[in-house]
Amino acid sequence: MLTDSEELLVDSIRKEIGLPSADTLMCKTIPQSDIYKYLYNPDYDGVRGFTAVEEHGANLKTLFDKYNGARLDYNNTAFKTTTGVDGISQSVGLPDKFYGTIEYKVNDVSKISIPDWAPKPDDYPYTGKAFTGSTDVVLPEYYQSVRKFINGDKFKILDSKTGDIVQQFIYDKNLGWLELK
């Protein structure tokens, strides 16, 4: 819990950071279980939900880094970093070998906001402070309203242990995701 003066300080810093501009590159992390859906299911035709400015999380390479730094350990998370049950989630099985990222430009600033609504007990690890709640990493959070994929968006499949790119794709509105060689 923050004191009133700490809360004012956090709020002022977050307001100073503000919203990204239309040409800001954003990055959304995708669990291994959803990679195929984004690439081949026409219902997965855009990005939405919590996201971050790409350069803010650029030093988070492995899935474990992303999991901790971006607080992907929410209840029933699809991200698996260990064998068995991950934290408070219900995921069971082997750790993910891969994860995905969608890199896209904001374009329409009216569709992105600073998530500062009051958290409910079931929202953990969401803090309501518009920053991730990690003890090691502090990332400004954003909330992306539905944004359809557009030409030039990138989808990367990364090795969970190294963060190295395994495959990458670029979006074409007429052809879908095209693999980059």
Side-chain angles (χ1 to χ4, degrees):
M1 296 297 291
L2 299 177
T3 65
D4 289 344
S5 62
E6 290 170 332
E7 183 122 7
L8 286 172
L9 178 62
V10 169
D11 288 345
S12 70
I13 291 169
R14 192 60 182 96
K15 285 178 180 148
E16 187 174 321
I17 294 169
L19 288 171
S21 64
D23 63 342
T24 300
L25 186 62
M26 305 297 287
C27 185
K28 172 90 175 157
T29 305
I30 305 299
Q32 176 177 298
S33 60
D34 288 349
I35 291 173
Y36 187 88
K37 295 172 190 173
Y38 275 97
L39 290 174
Y40 303 110
N41 184 333
D43 292 334
Y44 282 70
D45 60 352
V47 65
R48 70 182 194 294
F50 289 96
T51 188
V53 172
E54 192 280 330
E55 73 177 323
H56 291 169
N59 62 332
L60 303 176
K61 299 288 185 195
T62 68
L63 179 57
F64 189 74
D65 293 342
K66 296 265 187 190
Y67 185 83
N68 289 314
R71 294 308 306 263
L72 301 174
D73 60 335
Y74 49 84
N75 194 27
N76 294 318
T77 186
F79 295 95
K80 296 186 296 183
T81 60
T82 62
T83 300
V85 178
D86 279 346
I88 60 171
S89 75
Q90 301 300 314
S91 63
V92 177
L94 296 174
D96 293 340
K97 292 182 179 182
F98 307 99
Y99 70 95
T101 61
I102 298 171
E103 294 179 0
Y104 65 99
K105 290 196 176 176
V106 171
N107 292 334
D108 185 351
V109 178
S110 72
K111 297 207 177 234
I112 199 156
S113 61
I114 296 172
D116 58 1
W117 53 85
K120 297 180 233 106
D122 290 345
D123 290 344
Y124 181 81
Y126 172 73
T127 65
K129 306 289 182 258
F131 289 102
T132 58
S134 172
T135 56
D136 300 322
V137 178
V138 177
L139 290 175
E141 288 184 299
Y142 296 95
Y143 188 82
Q144 175 71 60
S145 295
V146 176
R147 178 199 173 274
K148 300 285 188 190
F149 293 130
I150 62 169
N151 288 343
D153 289 350
K154 290 187 179 171
F155 191 100
K156 296 178 182 179
I157 300 173
L158 301 112
D159 181 281
S160 290
K161 290 185 188 221
T162 64
D164 293 338
I165 297 171
V166 175
Q167 280 183 292
Q168 60 183 327
F169 302 83
I170 192 162
Y171 190 78
D172 179 288
K173 72 175 186 166
N174 297 317
L175 302 172
W177 291 106
L178 303 173
E179 186 173 4
L180 295 171
K181 301 274 179 176

